[in-house]
Every structure is written in structure tokens, then in C-alpha cells.
């Protein structure tokens, strides 16, 4: 476990019980989930640390993850909804109303298609758009960064919200993002007192769309592949792993687990059961 410049101390991380994390190029490495990364997710869950992926990924992706991975919840499509598994059933909690968000998405998709057709014909709607419920995703891999930024500006001019990841422009209509839904999950689902958030949470990310989370969560980490975009972030991670993508996440997970094991007796008592989303009352 090594870090670029600064490294976290055990004292800073000893009370972390909720780990939020991006997925693409943070958990995944070249699109794959490495065995070391998947094992780290299980280690965290078995230690009682609730893992919540926060992604621009589609509803189809989130449905699979909450069923098959050892996570407590998944925040999908840049904060459009939170997905949990309760009594064996997958439940979507939308930021507003699922039907309203779906209507907005269909209208926005048509706007984006027309915009691309008129101005940016080399861009394509993401192949997983059919599995999305609230946003529109545009593939950006292989495109010049300036062209990506120009398209993002054009989308904002239409009234769309925009987040740029390592693989997509994600855009939607609605007043939410990764941070706002994460705050709702912490207080509304996990029952965390806002005054305790700084001590009990951590976040791992890799790209520009993770900036709101870096600004929200004090114990914030970047995997090494974030370095090329650090200068573009309004809020940057506090620590950066020397390892990229999924290997970086595994190192960060081990750092958090080591710190939790070294914490107070009260903290250690919490590390006894796999982390799950509390049942709705």
C-alpha cells in the first residue's frame, strides 16, 4: 500500500463504515473486475463496512451489481436513483418520480440525438442506452478532449446537466448528482447524522465526474489514473494511490480495513457482520 505524496493515517480512517466508490476505471481495470478487487469488496463487506458504488452506469448494470456483488446499495445514472435489495427483491428509489424522470429522459435523448446530428457527428449514443431509465450517455473514448468539452458545453446550453467520466458524457434533466443522492442515502437509508459524515465515510474515484464526491467526503481517494485530470477538478481527492484502477482500489480498501481494525473498541464491535442495507420501515 503506497500513495503519491501524502498517505492517510490510521486515526483519520479508523471510524469509516461507509465506502462510496466509482466503478468504471476505479473498480474496473480495462473494463474488467480483477480478482483482487472483487476480493477487496468481500473483505470490506465481511468487516461490516458498507460499500456503495456511485456510478453513471445504467439501470441494467445496477440491477446486476446489487444482486451479485457484496454491496449495500448502488447509486446509478449519476444520482438518478438508489438501488437496493430488500427481502430478495430489487428496489429502485428515484430522486423524484420514476415516471417523470423517464419522460424527461426520452425528451432529452431526442434533443441529444439532434444535437449530435447537427454539430458532432463523430459522437455516438452509448450502446447501453436501452438499459437506462433517467439519463443519456455518449461514448467519448478515442475523442479529442476539446471536442468532448465542446459537446458538453452545447448540451449545457440546452438545459441539460452534464458529468464527464473516463468513458462517457452523462447528461440528464434534473437537480441532482452523485453527491446529492449520496447524502440522501446516508441520512435517509443508513440514518447517519450529518455531523458524523466526515468521520464515518470514504470515497474512491478516478475522473472529473467524481469531483462532487471529492468535495463532499473528507476521506477521499483517487486511484492513480486520476492524475492526468487532477488539474481539471474543482475538488480533488485528499490521497492518490500509487496503483491504478482496480489495483488501486484494492490497496485503498486494505488501508481502510487496517485502520478500522486499529480503531476504538466501539469501532471494532461494528466489524462483526457483513454490511447490508437496513430494511425500510
Amino acid at each position: 500500500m503506497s500513495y503519491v505524496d501524502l498517505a492517510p493515517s490510521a486515526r483519520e480512517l479508523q471510524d469509516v463504515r461507509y465506502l462510496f466508490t466509482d466503478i468504471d476505471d476505479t473498480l474496473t481495470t480495462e473494463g474488467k473486475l480483477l480478482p483482487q478487487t472483487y476480493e477487496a469488496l468481500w473483505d470490506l463487506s465481511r468487516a461490516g463496512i458498507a460499500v456503495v458504488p456511485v456510478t453513471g452506469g445504467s439501470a441494467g448494470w445496477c440491477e446486476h451489481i446489487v444482486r451479485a456483488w457484496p454491496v449495500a446499495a448502488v447509486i446509478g445514472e449519476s444520482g438518478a436513483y438508489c438501488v437496493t435489495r430488500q427481502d430478495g427483491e430489487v428496489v429502485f428509489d428515484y430522486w423524484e418520480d420514476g415516471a417523470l424522470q423517464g419522460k424527461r429522459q426520452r425528451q432529452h435523448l431526442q434533443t441529444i440525438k439532434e444535437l449530435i446530428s447537427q454539430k458532432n457527428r463523430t459522437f455516438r449514443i452509448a450502446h447501453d442506452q436501452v438499459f437506462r431509465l433517467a439519463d443519456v450517455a455518449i461514448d467519448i473514448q478515442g475523442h479529442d478532449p476539446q471536442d468532448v468539452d465542446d459537446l458538453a458545453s452545447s448540451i449545457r446550453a440546452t438545459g441539460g446537466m452534464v458529468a464527464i467520466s473516463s468513458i462517457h458524457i452523462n447528461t440528464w434533466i434534473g437537480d441532482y448528482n452523485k453527491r446529492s443522492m449520496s447524502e440522501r442515502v446516508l441520512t435517509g437509508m443508513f440514518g447517519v447524522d450529518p455531523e458524523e459524515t466526515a468521520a464515518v465515510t470514504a470515497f474512491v474515484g478516478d475522473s472529473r465526474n467524481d469531483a462532487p464526491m471529492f468535495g463532499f467526503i473528507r476521506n477521499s481517494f483517487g486511484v492513480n489514473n486520476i492524475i492526468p485530470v487532477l488539474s481539471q477538478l474543482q475538488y480533488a481527492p485528499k490521497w492518490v494511490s500509487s496503483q491504478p484502477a482496480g489495483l488501486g482500489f484494492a490497496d485503498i480498501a486494505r488501508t481502510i480495513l487496517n485502520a478500522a481494525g486499529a480503531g476504538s473498541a466501539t469501532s471494532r464491535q461494528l466489524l462483526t457482520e457483513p454490511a447490508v442495507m437496513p430494511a425500510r420501515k
Side-chain angles (χ1 to χ4, degrees):
M1 296 173 290
S2 60
Y3 292 86
V4 177
D5 297 326
L6 298 175
S9 68
R11 180 177 294 274
E12 290 172 292
L13 302 175
Q14 67 182 14
D15 294 319
V16 169
R17 296 294 171 265
Y18 306 95
L19 177 59
F20 292 78
T21 178
D22 179 56
I23 294 179
D24 291 305
D25 296 321
T26 299
L27 285 177
T28 61
T29 302
E30 297 181 355
K32 302 293 184 181
L33 192 63
L34 298 178
Q36 300 96 313
T37 312
Y38 197 53
E39 183 177 8
L41 291 172
W42 274 106
D43 288 343
L44 289 161
S45 179
R46 283 190 288 254
I49 295 175
V51 179
V52 181
V54 188
T55 178
S58 70
W61 187 219
C62 296
E63 167 95 9
H64 161 75
I65 289 170
V66 82
R67 287 184 183 277
W69 294 15
V71 299
V74 185
I75 293 171
E77 295 184 37
S78 303
Y81 46 73
C82 177
V83 190
T84 58
R85 193 173 184 188
Q86 300 169 19
D87 299 324
E89 298 294 327
V90 173
V91 178
F92 280 72
D93 283 324
Y94 289 86
W95 178 256
E96 293 177 87
D97 171 77
L100 174 62
Q101 290 181 233
K103 179 180 179 180
R104 288 173 177 168
Q105 182 220 38
R106 290 188 293 274
Q107 295 171 340
H108 194 48
L109 176 59
Q110 186 60 39
T111 298
I112 297 305
K113 286 181 175 178
E114 292 173 1
L115 183 63
I116 290 174
S117 176
Q118 294 168 5
K119 296 184 177 181
N120 305 91
R121 295 188 179 184
T122 61
F123 286 92
R124 296 288 182 269
I125 301 297
H127 70 280
D128 68 348
Q129 184 63 45
V130 68
F131 303 114
R132 294 178 177 273
L133 299 176
D135 81 346
V136 178
I138 303 163
D139 289 329
I140 63 172
Q141 287 183 310
H143 287 274
D144 182 272
Q146 187 58 56
D147 291 339
V148 173
D149 287 343
D150 288 346
L151 177 56
S153 295
S154 296
I155 294 171
R156 292 188 184 99
T158 71
M161 300 289 287
V162 171
I164 303 174
S165 74
S166 57
I167 61 172
H168 290 144
I169 290 175
N170 293 95
T171 178
W172 63 93
I173 303 297
D175 187 22
Y176 60 83
N177 58 22
K178 287 185 173 185
R179 171 176 178 164
S180 55
M181 183 56 91
S182 296
E183 290 182 284
R184 180 181 290 187
V185 167
L186 277 169
T187 58
M189 291 189 175
F190 288 121
V192 174
D193 186 326
E195 293 185 1
E196 298 177 353
T197 296
V200 301
T201 60
F203 175 72
V204 189
D206 79 292
S207 63
R208 287 193 278 176
N209 69 339
D210 294 318
M213 293 296 290
F214 293 138
F216 170 45
I217 293 184
R218 181 187 68 190
N219 298 316
S220 60
F221 295 83
V223 289
N224 193 260
N225 40 298
I226 199 173
I227 290 177
V229 300
L230 281 176
S231 63
Q232 304 172 39
L233 300 180
Q234 181 180 6
Y235 302 103
K238 187 173 183 179
W239 305 291
V240 177
S241 172
S242 62
Q243 294 292 322
L247 294 178
F249 178 87
D251 265 3
I252 292 164
R254 182 53 50 194
T255 299
I256 292 171
L257 287 165
N258 287 348
S264 65
T266 300
S267 297
R268 288 196 297 272
Q269 287 175 4
L270 296 174
L271 304 178
T272 57
E273 297 291 340
V276 296
M277 175 64 70
R280 284 297 190 88
K281 297 181 180 179

